[in-house]
Amino acid sequence: MTRARRWSGAACVAAAFLTLSLTVSACNAQGNGGPPTGNATSPASTATPGESAAATPAQPPRVARKVDVGLELPWSTVFLPDGTAVISERDSALLKSVRDGQSREIGQVPGVVPGGEGGLLGLALSPDFSSDRYLYLYFTAQDDNRIARLRLNEAGEQGLEAGTPEVIFSGISKASTHNGGRIRFGPDGLLYVGTGDSQRRDQPQDPNALGGKILRLTPEGRPAPGNPFGDNPVYSIGHRNVQGLAWDSEGRFWSSEFGPDVNDELNLIVPGGNYGWPNVTGNPGRNGFIDAAVVWPSTAESSPSGLEIIGSTAYLGALRGQRVWSVPLMGDKAGDPVSYFTREYGRIRDVSLAPDGTLWALTNNQNPDSILVLNVPR
């Protein structure tokens, strides 16, 4: 087990990055709180002055089908090479497979201690899954949040069995809320981890703390070579509660995160970047902090959880907002968000691109929850 530790010598490097004055152009966006419909709704705000607002897609997302397989608080979805979906359930700590409209239990992850926003959270599939069979997990344990990996073994016809988890990274602070939990392998083959501030407001600005960060690890759970703060897993700082990670077709790295009672964010991530929390939120243009690319002033209309990028469009699930947001991406800029399915299907926890090109959206708090399979423009 690799315990988290403090990395000496990082402070001097951190100081250089804390003086970053890079500002990413942003567009304030306020969602639509109108009656539930399946039609697109555009935010009231416009793009940042000097930029043209992108138009609503000619072909909006459509619900191809709704899959009801008895899920309870599903949190994350990954797809195996054969198209089988593997889904985590936060409170039950169960891994489930879904294929051809049927769900099967793979196994219950030991050591998960659910509570509040904690439990079995993010999943990531090894880039070498065909040879190593590793599934990576982010979960809340008794004293911390941690990352483990286990092998998904074949178990008969269309069956899978979870092997014994191996904890590769631990010591991420936990609380009843703000546990982060999204993990994803990047184009570089390294594991990126979104953490929350766990209600410890001193952590996000401290490069030697793990809370309120995006981390970058090797598949074995060590700080990745070339990280901006030296021999330290931290990749970016100043986050409140990271919930989505994705890369566009040019390799640019984006993340979504919860604001407090204002200013949910979509951010363009750069190594060593400081995204402001708790000093600032949104895009105030303060020296030393990177502005959000998109801001939702009202968290009641977003609370973005889960992020996927398809072509030049980012899709985000919304919890309090109970909708799917699409955001056109134009290089390192983002256009005006547009919302779909407002309050038709409840809270949307995650959005994931399936091998067949559809977008899977997980509902939450429906008792039981469902999978929305969406056709999206390409």
Side-chain angles (χ1 to χ4, degrees):
M1 178 186 301
T2 302
R3 296 296 299 176
R5 55 189 173 85
R6 290 192 174 268
W7 289 265
S8 59
C12 60
V13 182
F17 284 103
L18 288 172
T19 59
L20 271 171
S21 59
L22 172 63
T23 299
V24 178
S25 295
C27 57
N28 288 331
Q30 182 170 356
N32 184 284
T37 71
N39 298 323
T41 57
S42 298
S45 61
T46 60
T48 300
E51 299 172 8
S52 60
T56 301
Q59 297 295 323
R62 300 291 183 188
V63 177
R65 61 187 183 278
K66 185 168 176 275
V67 181
D68 293 308
V69 289
L71 299 174
E72 298 289 343
L73 290 174
W75 212 91
S76 181
T77 305
V78 295
F79 293 92
L80 305 188
D82 66 0
T84 299
V86 176
I87 296 175
S88 60
E89 289 187 343
R90 188 189 70 189
D91 288 1
S92 71
L94 286 171
L95 292 169
K96 292 183 176 179
S97 66
V98 177
R99 185 175 176 84
D100 299 327
Q102 301 293 319
S103 173
R104 294 179 173 85
E105 289 188 10
I106 299 173
Q108 187 175 46
V109 179
V112 175
V113 180
E117 295 176 0
L120 180 58
L121 304 177
L123 303 178
L125 204 66
S126 167
D128 300 316
F129 180 81
S130 58
S131 57
D132 64 27
R133 306 288 299 184
Y134 275 132
L135 175 70
Y136 287 73
L137 324 161
Y138 184 114
F139 67 91
T140 309
Q142 182 65 46
D143 299 315
D144 59 2
N145 288 295
R146 50 185 55 187
I147 301 165
R149 63 182 181 183
L150 56 78
R151 285 192 168 90
L152 287 180
N153 303 311
E154 300 285 354
E157 186 176 352
Q158 293 187 333
L160 292 167
E161 182 179 63
T164 302
E166 169 198 5
V167 175
I168 64 166
F169 193 86
S170 60
I172 303 168
S173 58
K174 63 172 280 189
S176 59
T177 60
H178 305 187
N179 288 295
R182 197 66 63 185
I183 58 175
R184 194 161 189 175
F185 277 94
D188 54 8
L190 296 168
L191 183 63
Y192 291 75
V193 180
T195 74
D197 68 3
S198 63
Q199 303 177 28
R200 297 167 172 85
R201 292 166 67 97
D202 60 315
Q203 289 206 6
Q205 291 294 318
D206 179 0
N208 291 316
L210 299 175
K213 303 297 192 303
I214 294 176
L215 312 178
R216 181 171 175 255
L217 306 173
T218 68
E220 296 74 33
R222 294 189 290 271
N227 277 358
F229 299 101
D231 184 22
N232 181 320
V234 173
Y235 191 73
S236 62
I237 71 174
H239 299 284
R240 182 174 182 269
N241 195 14
V242 177
Q243 295 288 293
L245 306 170
W247 287 261
D248 65 24
S249 59
E250 298 300 318
R252 287 177 287 260
F253 182 25
W254 301 80
S255 79
S256 59
E257 72 175 271
F258 294 158
D261 53 356
V262 294
N263 294 347
D264 291 326
E265 298 178 351
L266 175 67
N267 287 300
L268 177 61
I269 302 300
V270 297
N274 186 340
Y275 292 82
W277 181 255
N279 302 66
V280 298
T281 63
N283 50 9
R286 285 263 303 273
N287 285 340
F289 304 118
I290 298 178
D291 279 354
V294 175
V295 179
W296 286 266
S298 171
T299 59
E301 292 166 347
S302 190
S303 298
S305 179
L307 170 65
E308 188 65 274
I309 298 175
I310 303 174
S312 59
T313 303
Y315 293 93
L316 303 93
L319 289 172
R320 291 187 66 197
Q322 298 185 35
R323 65 197 78 184
V324 173
W325 285 101
S326 71
V327 179
L329 302 178
M330 301 160 289
D332 61 358
K333 314 297 182 188
D336 285 337
V338 178
S339 67
Y340 300 91
F341 318 118
T342 301
R343 300 191 182 94
E344 290 186 36
Y345 300 103
R347 295 157 64 87
I348 306 298
R349 171 62 70 179
D350 192 24
V351 288
S352 303
L353 179 63
D356 64 3
T358 59
L359 185 70
W360 283 34
L362 299 177
T363 71
N364 261 191
N365 299 108
Q366 296 295 296
N367 301 315
D369 294 306
S370 303
I371 303 162
L372 303 177
V373 180
L374 309 179
N375 289 328
V376 295
R378 300 302 294 259

PDB file of all heavy atoms in Angstrom, residues 109-144:
ATOM      1  N   VAL A 109     -16.899  -4.153  -3.452  1.00  0.00           N
ATOM      2  CA  VAL A 109     -15.529  -3.745  -3.153  1.00  0.00           C
ATOM      3  C   VAL A 109     -15.347  -3.673  -1.646  1.00  0.00           C
ATOM      4  O   VAL A 109     -16.039  -2.896  -0.968  1.00  0.00           O
ATOM      5  CB  VAL A 109     -15.210  -2.394  -3.809  1.00  0.00           C
ATOM      6  CG1 VAL A 109     -13.788  -1.957  -3.465  1.00  0.00           C
ATOM      7  CG2 VAL A 109     -15.392  -2.474  -5.322  1.00  0.00           C
ATOM      8  N   PRO A 110     -14.429  -4.440  -1.072  1.00  0.00           N
ATOM      9  CA  PRO A 110     -14.223  -4.395   0.384  1.00  0.00           C
ATOM     10  C   PRO A 110     -13.541  -3.099   0.801  1.00  0.00           C
ATOM     11  O   PRO A 110     -12.800  -2.483   0.038  1.00  0.00           O
ATOM     12  CB  PRO A 110     -13.307  -5.598   0.640  1.00  0.00           C
ATOM     13  CG  PRO A 110     -12.583  -5.816  -0.651  1.00  0.00           C
ATOM     14  CD  PRO A 110     -13.554  -5.434  -1.731  1.00  0.00           C
ATOM     15  N   GLY A 111     -13.813  -2.673   2.034  1.00  0.00           N
ATOM     16  CA  GLY A 111     -13.154  -1.500   2.587  1.00  0.00           C
ATOM     17  C   GLY A 111     -13.843  -0.187   2.286  1.00  0.00           C
ATOM     18  O   GLY A 111     -13.405   0.862   2.776  1.00  0.00           O
ATOM     19  N   VAL A 112     -14.930  -0.201   1.496  1.00  0.00           N
ATOM     20  CA  VAL A 112     -15.655   1.025   1.204  1.00  0.00           C
ATOM     21  C   VAL A 112     -16.529   1.388   2.402  1.00  0.00           C
ATOM     22  O   VAL A 112     -17.253   0.545   2.937  1.00  0.00           O
ATOM     23  CB  VAL A 112     -16.529   0.868  -0.054  1.00  0.00           C
ATOM     24  CG1 VAL A 112     -17.370   2.121  -0.288  1.00  0.00           C
ATOM     25  CG2 VAL A 112     -15.663   0.559  -1.269  1.00  0.00           C
ATOM     26  N   VAL A 113     -16.461   2.654   2.815  1.00  0.00           N
ATOM     27  CA  VAL A 113     -17.274   3.144   3.929  1.00  0.00           C
ATOM     28  C   VAL A 113     -18.131   4.287   3.396  1.00  0.00           C
ATOM     29  O   VAL A 113     -17.708   5.449   3.376  1.00  0.00           O
ATOM     30  CB  VAL A 113     -16.400   3.611   5.105  1.00  0.00           C
ATOM     31  CG1 VAL A 113     -17.273   4.106   6.254  1.00  0.00           C
ATOM     32  CG2 VAL A 113     -15.494   2.470   5.580  1.00  0.00           C
ATOM     33  N   PRO A 114     -19.342   3.993   2.922  1.00  0.00           N
ATOM     34  CA  PRO A 114     -20.173   5.051   2.354  1.00  0.00           C
ATOM     35  C   PRO A 114     -20.714   5.984   3.427  1.00  0.00           C
ATOM     36  O   PRO A 114     -20.843   5.619   4.597  1.00  0.00           O
ATOM     37  CB  PRO A 114     -21.300   4.277   1.677  1.00  0.00           C
ATOM     38  CG  PRO A 114     -21.388   2.995   2.435  1.00  0.00           C
ATOM     39  CD  PRO A 114     -19.991   2.679   2.882  1.00  0.00           C
ATOM     40  N   GLY A 115     -21.033   7.187   3.016  1.00  0.00           N
ATOM     41  CA  GLY A 115     -21.612   8.171   3.925  1.00  0.00           C
ATOM     42  C   GLY A 115     -21.603   9.527   3.264  1.00  0.00           C
ATOM     43  O   GLY A 115     -20.571   9.953   2.729  1.00  0.00           O
ATOM     44  N   GLY A 116     -22.745  10.220   3.277  1.00  0.00           N
ATOM     45  CA  GLY A 116     -22.812  11.503   2.602  1.00  0.00           C
ATOM     46  C   GLY A 116     -22.491  11.349   1.133  1.00  0.00           C
ATOM     47  O   GLY A 116     -23.098  10.535   0.434  1.00  0.00           O
ATOM     48  N   GLU A 117     -21.497  12.104   0.656  1.00  0.00           N
ATOM     49  CA  GLU A 117     -21.086  12.019  -0.735  1.00  0.00           C
ATOM     50  C   GLU A 117     -19.989  10.989  -0.964  1.00  0.00           C
ATOM     51  O   GLU A 117     -19.481  10.858  -2.086  1.00  0.00           O
ATOM     52  CB  GLU A 117     -20.603  13.393  -1.217  1.00  0.00           C
ATOM     53  CG  GLU A 117     -21.706  14.441  -1.243  1.00  0.00           C
ATOM     54  CD  GLU A 117     -21.197  15.828  -1.617  1.00  0.00           C
ATOM     55  OE1 GLU A 117     -19.977  15.972  -1.852  1.00  0.00           O
ATOM     56  OE2 GLU A 117     -22.011  16.767  -1.665  1.00  0.00           O
ATOM     57  N   GLY A 118     -19.605  10.258   0.085  1.00  0.00           N
ATOM     58  CA  GLY A 118     -18.538   9.278  -0.039  1.00  0.00           C
ATOM     59  C   GLY A 118     -19.062   7.892  -0.318  1.00  0.00           C
ATOM     60  O   GLY A 118     -20.226   7.575  -0.094  1.00  0.00           O
ATOM     61  N   GLY A 119     -18.180   7.024  -0.794  1.00  0.00           N
ATOM     62  CA  GLY A 119     -18.528   5.645  -1.093  1.00  0.00           C
ATOM     63  C   GLY A 119     -17.677   5.152  -2.246  1.00  0.00           C
ATOM     64  O   GLY A 119     -16.536   5.589  -2.428  1.00  0.00           O
ATOM     65  N   LEU A 120     -18.222   4.244  -3.039  1.00  0.00           N
ATOM     66  CA  LEU A 120     -17.533   3.774  -4.240  1.00  0.00           C
ATOM     67  C   LEU A 120     -17.828   4.773  -5.350  1.00  0.00           C
ATOM     68  O   LEU A 120     -18.970   4.926  -5.776  1.00  0.00           O
ATOM     69  CB  LEU A 120     -18.015   2.378  -4.619  1.00  0.00           C
ATOM     70  CG  LEU A 120     -17.375   1.765  -5.871  1.00  0.00           C
ATOM     71  CD1 LEU A 120     -15.859   1.681  -5.756  1.00  0.00           C
ATOM     72  CD2 LEU A 120     -17.975   0.379  -6.149  1.00  0.00           C
ATOM     73  N   LEU A 121     -16.784   5.458  -5.837  1.00  0.00           N
ATOM     74  CA  LEU A 121     -16.982   6.597  -6.730  1.00  0.00           C
ATOM     75  C   LEU A 121     -16.444   6.296  -8.131  1.00  0.00           C
ATOM     76  O   LEU A 121     -16.995   5.482  -8.844  1.00  0.00           O
ATOM     77  CB  LEU A 121     -16.354   7.846  -6.101  1.00  0.00           C
ATOM     78  CG  LEU A 121     -16.868   8.187  -4.689  1.00  0.00           C
ATOM     79  CD1 LEU A 121     -16.140   9.400  -4.110  1.00  0.00           C
ATOM     80  CD2 LEU A 121     -18.366   8.417  -4.701  1.00  0.00           C
ATOM     81  N   GLY A 122     -15.358   6.933  -8.524  1.00  0.00           N
ATOM     82  CA  GLY A 122     -14.915   6.876  -9.895  1.00  0.00           C
ATOM     83  C   GLY A 122     -14.259   5.568 -10.306  1.00  0.00           C
ATOM     84  O   GLY A 122     -13.626   4.884  -9.499  1.00  0.00           O
ATOM     85  N   LEU A 123     -14.394   5.248 -11.600  1.00  0.00           N
ATOM     86  CA  LEU A 123     -13.760   4.088 -12.212  1.00  0.00           C
ATOM     87  C   LEU A 123     -12.900   4.544 -13.382  1.00  0.00           C
ATOM     88  O   LEU A 123     -13.215   5.532 -14.045  1.00  0.00           O
ATOM     89  CB  LEU A 123     -14.805   3.102 -12.739  1.00  0.00           C
ATOM     90  CG  LEU A 123     -15.845   2.552 -11.769  1.00  0.00           C
ATOM     91  CD1 LEU A 123     -16.821   1.637 -12.520  1.00  0.00           C
ATOM     92  CD2 LEU A 123     -15.191   1.815 -10.611  1.00  0.00           C
ATOM     93  N   ALA A 124     -11.842   3.816 -13.646  1.00  0.00           N
ATOM     94  CA  ALA A 124     -11.022   4.038 -14.838  1.00  0.00           C
ATOM     95  C   ALA A 124     -10.491   2.694 -15.302  1.00  0.00           C
ATOM     96  O   ALA A 124     -10.118   1.849 -14.484  1.00  0.00           O
ATOM     97  CB  ALA A 124      -9.860   4.994 -14.546  1.00  0.00           C
ATOM     98  N   LEU A 125     -10.473   2.517 -16.605  1.00  0.00           N
ATOM     99  CA  LEU A 125      -9.987   1.262 -17.181  1.00  0.00           C
ATOM    100  C   LEU A 125      -8.535   1.430 -17.606  1.00  0.00           C
ATOM    101  O   LEU A 125      -8.164   2.444 -18.206  1.00  0.00           O
ATOM    102  CB  LEU A 125     -10.847   0.893 -18.394  1.00  0.00           C
ATOM    103  CG  LEU A 125     -10.887  -0.584 -18.776  1.00  0.00           C
ATOM    104  CD1 LEU A 125     -11.562  -1.397 -17.695  1.00  0.00           C
ATOM    105  CD2 LEU A 125     -11.602  -0.748 -20.109  1.00  0.00           C
ATOM    106  N   SER A 126      -7.709   0.454 -17.277  1.00  0.00           N
ATOM    107  CA  SER A 126      -6.307   0.499 -17.673  1.00  0.00           C
ATOM    108  C   SER A 126      -6.189   0.642 -19.189  1.00  0.00           C
ATOM    109  O   SER A 126      -6.916  -0.009 -19.943  1.00  0.00           O
ATOM    110  CB  SER A 126      -5.606  -0.788 -17.228  1.00  0.00           C
ATOM    111  OG  SER A 126      -4.336  -0.911 -17.861  1.00  0.00           O
ATOM    112  N   PRO A 127      -5.254   1.476 -19.671  1.00  0.00           N
ATOM    113  CA  PRO A 127      -5.018   1.550 -21.122  1.00  0.00           C
ATOM    114  C   PRO A 127      -4.571   0.211 -21.700  1.00  0.00           C
ATOM    115  O   PRO A 127      -4.721  -0.019 -22.900  1.00  0.00           O
ATOM    116  CB  PRO A 127      -3.911   2.606 -21.242  1.00  0.00           C
ATOM    117  CG  PRO A 127      -3.972   3.390 -19.978  1.00  0.00           C
ATOM    118  CD  PRO A 127      -4.422   2.429 -18.921  1.00  0.00           C
ATOM    119  N   ASP A 128      -4.030  -0.663 -20.855  1.00  0.00           N
ATOM    120  CA  ASP A 128      -3.574  -1.988 -21.291  1.00  0.00           C
ATOM    121  C   ASP A 128      -4.516  -3.081 -20.799  1.00  0.00           C
ATOM    122  O   ASP A 128      -4.077  -4.200 -20.491  1.00  0.00           O
ATOM    123  CB  ASP A 128      -2.152  -2.242 -20.772  1.00  0.00           C
ATOM    124  CG  ASP A 128      -1.157  -1.211 -21.276  1.00  0.00           C
ATOM    125  OD1 ASP A 128      -1.208  -0.883 -22.480  1.00  0.00           O
ATOM    126  OD2 ASP A 128      -0.337  -0.730 -20.478  1.00  0.00           O
ATOM    127  N   PHE A 129      -5.815  -2.761 -20.717  1.00  0.00           N
ATOM    128  CA  PHE A 129      -6.755  -3.701 -20.126  1.00  0.00           C
ATOM    129  C   PHE A 129      -6.751  -5.059 -20.826  1.00  0.00           C
ATOM    130  O   PHE A 129      -6.893  -6.100 -20.168  1.00  0.00           O
ATOM    131  CB  PHE A 129      -8.176  -3.127 -20.157  1.00  0.00           C
ATOM    132  CG  PHE A 129      -9.199  -4.043 -19.553  1.00  0.00           C
ATOM    133  CD1 PHE A 129      -9.367  -4.107 -18.170  1.00  0.00           C
ATOM    134  CD2 PHE A 129      -9.982  -4.865 -20.351  1.00  0.00           C
ATOM    135  CE1 PHE A 129     -10.294  -4.968 -17.606  1.00  0.00           C
ATOM    136  CE2 PHE A 129     -10.919  -5.728 -19.800  1.00  0.00           C
ATOM    137  CZ  PHE A 129     -11.071  -5.780 -18.417  1.00  0.00           C
ATOM    138  N   SER A 130      -6.571  -5.077 -22.129  1.00  0.00           N
ATOM    139  CA  SER A 130      -6.617  -6.352 -22.846  1.00  0.00           C
ATOM    140  C   SER A 130      -5.552  -7.322 -22.366  1.00  0.00           C
ATOM    141  O   SER A 130      -5.728  -8.542 -22.461  1.00  0.00           O
ATOM    142  CB  SER A 130      -6.467  -6.119 -24.355  1.00  0.00           C
ATOM    143  OG  SER A 130      -5.246  -5.454 -24.635  1.00  0.00           O
ATOM    144  N   SER A 131      -4.457  -6.785 -21.785  1.00  0.00           N
ATOM    145  CA  SER A 131      -3.400  -7.671 -21.287  1.00  0.00           C
ATOM    146  C   SER A 131      -3.356  -7.740 -19.764  1.00  0.00           C
ATOM    147  O   SER A 131      -3.085  -8.803 -19.199  1.00  0.00           O
ATOM    148  CB  SER A 131      -2.030  -7.220 -21.816  1.00  0.00           C
ATOM    149  OG  SER A 131      -1.755  -5.878 -21.449  1.00  0.00           O
ATOM    150  N   ASP A 132      -3.638  -6.614 -19.059  1.00  0.00           N
ATOM    151  CA  ASP A 132      -3.500  -6.657 -17.595  1.00  0.00           C
ATOM    152  C   ASP A 132      -4.832  -6.789 -16.848  1.00  0.00           C
ATOM    153  O   ASP A 132      -4.831  -7.086 -15.646  1.00  0.00           O
ATOM    154  CB  ASP A 132      -2.718  -5.444 -17.085  1.00  0.00           C
ATOM    155  CG  ASP A 132      -3.410  -4.099 -17.328  1.00  0.00           C
ATOM    156  OD1 ASP A 132      -4.644  -4.051 -17.409  1.00  0.00           O
ATOM    157  OD2 ASP A 132      -2.700  -3.076 -17.428  1.00  0.00           O
ATOM    158  N   ARG A 133      -5.974  -6.522 -17.516  1.00  0.00           N
ATOM    159  CA  ARG A 133      -7.320  -6.681 -16.946  1.00  0.00           C
ATOM    160  C   ARG A 133      -7.582  -5.785 -15.734  1.00  0.00           C
ATOM    161  O   ARG A 133      -8.485  -6.033 -14.941  1.00  0.00           O
ATOM    162  CB  ARG A 133      -7.585  -8.138 -16.530  1.00  0.00           C
ATOM    163  CG  ARG A 133      -7.363  -9.182 -17.610  1.00  0.00           C
ATOM    164  CD  ARG A 133      -8.422  -9.132 -18.659  1.00  0.00           C
ATOM    165  NE  ARG A 133      -9.785  -9.385 -18.125  1.00  0.00           N
ATOM    166  CZ  ARG A 133     -10.858  -9.459 -18.897  1.00  0.00           C
ATOM    167  NH1 ARG A 133     -10.758  -9.251 -20.200  1.00  0.00           N
ATOM    168  NH2 ARG A 133     -12.040  -9.707 -18.364  1.00  0.00           N
ATOM    169  N   TYR A 134      -6.856  -4.665 -15.602  1.00  0.00           N
ATOM    170  CA  TYR A 134      -6.996  -3.827 -14.415  1.00  0.00           C
ATOM    171  C   TYR A 134      -8.153  -2.825 -14.550  1.00  0.00           C
ATOM    172  O   TYR A 134      -8.273  -2.105 -15.544  1.00  0.00           O
ATOM    173  CB  TYR A 134      -5.722  -3.032 -14.146  1.00  0.00           C
ATOM    174  CG  TYR A 134      -4.671  -3.774 -13.350  1.00  0.00           C
ATOM    175  CD1 TYR A 134      -3.340  -3.796 -13.762  1.00  0.00           C
ATOM    176  CD2 TYR A 134      -5.007  -4.429 -12.165  1.00  0.00           C
ATOM    177  CE1 TYR A 134      -2.371  -4.462 -13.024  1.00  0.00           C
ATOM    178  CE2 TYR A 134      -4.047  -5.100 -11.428  1.00  0.00           C
ATOM    179  CZ  TYR A 134      -2.737  -5.117 -11.861  1.00  0.00           C
ATOM    180  OH  TYR A 134      -1.776  -5.777 -11.124  1.00  0.00           O
ATOM    181  N   LEU A 135      -8.959  -2.776 -13.499  1.00  0.00           N
ATOM    182  CA  LEU A 135      -9.950  -1.729 -13.291  1.00  0.00           C
ATOM    183  C   LEU A 135      -9.503  -0.920 -12.081  1.00  0.00           C
ATOM    184  O   LEU A 135      -9.205  -1.482 -11.022  1.00  0.00           O
ATOM    185  CB  LEU A 135     -11.327  -2.331 -13.027  1.00  0.00           C
ATOM    186  CG  LEU A 135     -12.449  -1.334 -12.683  1.00  0.00           C
ATOM    187  CD1 LEU A 135     -12.823  -0.490 -13.892  1.00  0.00           C
ATOM    188  CD2 LEU A 135     -13.672  -2.078 -12.130  1.00  0.00           C
ATOM    189  N   TYR A 136      -9.456   0.417 -12.223  1.00  0.00           N
ATOM    190  CA  TYR A 136      -9.047   1.306 -11.136  1.00  0.00           C
ATOM    191  C   TYR A 136     -10.290   1.895 -10.472  1.00  0.00           C
ATOM    192  O   TYR A 136     -11.281   2.203 -11.142  1.00  0.00           O
ATOM    193  CB  TYR A 136      -8.151   2.422 -11.679  1.00  0.00           C
ATOM    194  CG  TYR A 136      -6.771   1.950 -12.057  1.00  0.00           C
ATOM    195  CD1 TYR A 136      -6.556   1.178 -13.205  1.00  0.00           C
ATOM    196  CD2 TYR A 136      -5.660   2.263 -11.277  1.00  0.00           C
ATOM    197  CE1 TYR A 136      -5.292   0.735 -13.559  1.00  0.00           C
ATOM    198  CE2 TYR A 136      -4.389   1.827 -11.623  1.00  0.00           C
ATOM    199  CZ  TYR A 136      -4.213   1.057 -12.748  1.00  0.00           C
ATOM    200  OH  TYR A 136      -2.954   0.615 -13.085  1.00  0.00           O
ATOM    201  N   LEU A 137     -10.212   2.071  -9.145  1.00  0.00           N
ATOM    202  CA  LEU A 137     -11.343   2.521  -8.344  1.00  0.00           C
ATOM    203  C   LEU A 137     -10.920   3.656  -7.418  1.00  0.00           C
ATOM    204  O   LEU A 137      -9.833   3.620  -6.843  1.00  0.00           O
ATOM    205  CB  LEU A 137     -11.867   1.380  -7.447  1.00  0.00           C
ATOM    206  CG  LEU A 137     -11.860  -0.045  -7.960  1.00  0.00           C
ATOM    207  CD1 LEU A 137     -11.961  -1.018  -6.800  1.00  0.00           C
ATOM    208  CD2 LEU A 137     -13.018  -0.246  -8.910  1.00  0.00           C
ATOM    209  N   TYR A 138     -11.785   4.641  -7.251  1.00  0.00           N
ATOM    210  CA  TYR A 138     -11.614   5.676  -6.227  1.00  0.00           C
ATOM    211  C   TYR A 138     -12.731   5.458  -5.221  1.00  0.00           C
ATOM    212  O   TYR A 138     -13.907   5.383  -5.605  1.00  0.00           O
ATOM    213  CB  TYR A 138     -11.735   7.055  -6.876  1.00  0.00           C
ATOM    214  CG  TYR A 138     -11.487   8.262  -5.984  1.00  0.00           C
ATOM    215  CD1 TYR A 138     -10.390   9.090  -6.196  1.00  0.00           C
ATOM    216  CD2 TYR A 138     -12.370   8.626  -4.977  1.00  0.00           C
ATOM    217  CE1 TYR A 138     -10.171  10.235  -5.425  1.00  0.00           C
ATOM    218  CE2 TYR A 138     -12.160   9.755  -4.196  1.00  0.00           C
ATOM    219  CZ  TYR A 138     -11.063  10.555  -4.414  1.00  0.00           C
ATOM    220  OH  TYR A 138     -10.854  11.675  -3.646  1.00  0.00           O
ATOM    221  N   PHE A 139     -12.377   5.327  -3.941  1.00  0.00           N
ATOM    222  CA  PHE A 139     -13.420   5.072  -2.950  1.00  0.00           C
ATOM    223  C   PHE A 139     -13.074   5.685  -1.599  1.00  0.00           C
ATOM    224  O   PHE A 139     -11.914   5.977  -1.289  1.00  0.00           O
ATOM    225  CB  PHE A 139     -13.697   3.573  -2.803  1.00  0.00           C
ATOM    226  CG  PHE A 139     -12.582   2.753  -2.217  1.00  0.00           C
ATOM    227  CD1 PHE A 139     -12.494   2.530  -0.851  1.00  0.00           C
ATOM    228  CD2 PHE A 139     -11.620   2.178  -3.036  1.00  0.00           C
ATOM    229  CE1 PHE A 139     -11.486   1.752  -0.309  1.00  0.00           C
ATOM    230  CE2 PHE A 139     -10.598   1.405  -2.510  1.00  0.00           C
ATOM    231  CZ  PHE A 139     -10.530   1.187  -1.138  1.00  0.00           C
ATOM    232  N   THR A 140     -14.131   5.880  -0.811  1.00  0.00           N
ATOM    233  CA  THR A 140     -13.998   6.397   0.548  1.00  0.00           C
ATOM    234  C   THR A 140     -13.844   5.238   1.507  1.00  0.00           C
ATOM    235  O   THR A 140     -14.685   4.331   1.542  1.00  0.00           O
ATOM    236  CB  THR A 140     -15.236   7.224   0.926  1.00  0.00           C
ATOM    237  OG1 THR A 140     -15.497   8.183  -0.094  1.00  0.00           O
ATOM    238  CG2 THR A 140     -15.033   7.929   2.257  1.00  0.00           C
ATOM    239  N   ALA A 141     -12.767   5.248   2.288  1.00  0.00           N
ATOM    240  CA  ALA A 141     -12.505   4.211   3.276  1.00  0.00           C
ATOM    241  C   ALA A 141     -12.800   4.775   4.674  1.00  0.00           C
ATOM    242  O   ALA A 141     -13.404   5.832   4.832  1.00  0.00           O
ATOM    243  CB  ALA A 141     -11.063   3.736   3.167  1.00  0.00           C
ATOM    244  N   GLN A 142     -12.360   4.072   5.704  1.00  0.00           N
ATOM    245  CA  GLN A 142     -12.649   4.483   7.077  1.00  0.00           C
ATOM    246  C   GLN A 142     -12.045   5.842   7.411  1.00  0.00           C
ATOM    247  O   GLN A 142     -12.687   6.685   8.049  1.00  0.00           O
ATOM    248  CB  GLN A 142     -12.129   3.426   8.058  1.00  0.00           C
ATOM    249  CG  GLN A 142     -12.426   3.735   9.519  1.00  0.00           C
ATOM    250  CD  GLN A 142     -13.907   3.730   9.823  1.00  0.00           C
ATOM    251  OE1 GLN A 142     -14.624   2.829   9.411  1.00  0.00           O
ATOM    252  NE2 GLN A 142     -14.391   4.737  10.543  1.00  0.00           N
ATOM    253  N   ASP A 143     -10.813   6.069   6.950  1.00  0.00           N
ATOM    254  CA  ASP A 143     -10.100   7.281   7.368  1.00  0.00           C
ATOM    255  C   ASP A 143      -9.736   8.222   6.239  1.00  0.00           C
ATOM    256  O   ASP A 143      -9.223   9.312   6.495  1.00  0.00           O
ATOM    257  CB  ASP A 143      -8.814   6.886   8.107  1.00  0.00           C
ATOM    258  CG  ASP A 143      -9.097   6.066   9.353  1.00  0.00           C
ATOM    259  OD1 ASP A 143     -10.018   6.450  10.106  1.00  0.00           O
ATOM    260  OD2 ASP A 143      -8.405   5.056   9.564  1.00  0.00           O
ATOM    261  N   ASP A 144      -9.953   7.820   5.003  1.00  0.00           N
ATOM    262  CA  ASP A 144      -9.490   8.630   3.880  1.00  0.00           C
ATOM    263  C   ASP A 144     -10.210   8.205   2.601  1.00  0.00           C
ATOM    264  O   ASP A 144     -10.997   7.270   2.590  1.00  0.00           O
ATOM    265  CB  ASP A 144      -7.972   8.493   3.700  1.00  0.00           C
ATOM    266  CG  ASP A 144      -7.524   7.055   3.448  1.00  0.00           C
ATOM    267  OD1 ASP A 144      -8.378   6.149   3.364  1.00  0.00           O
ATOM    268  OD2 ASP A 144      -6.304   6.820   3.321  1.00  0.00           O
TER     269      ASP A 144
END
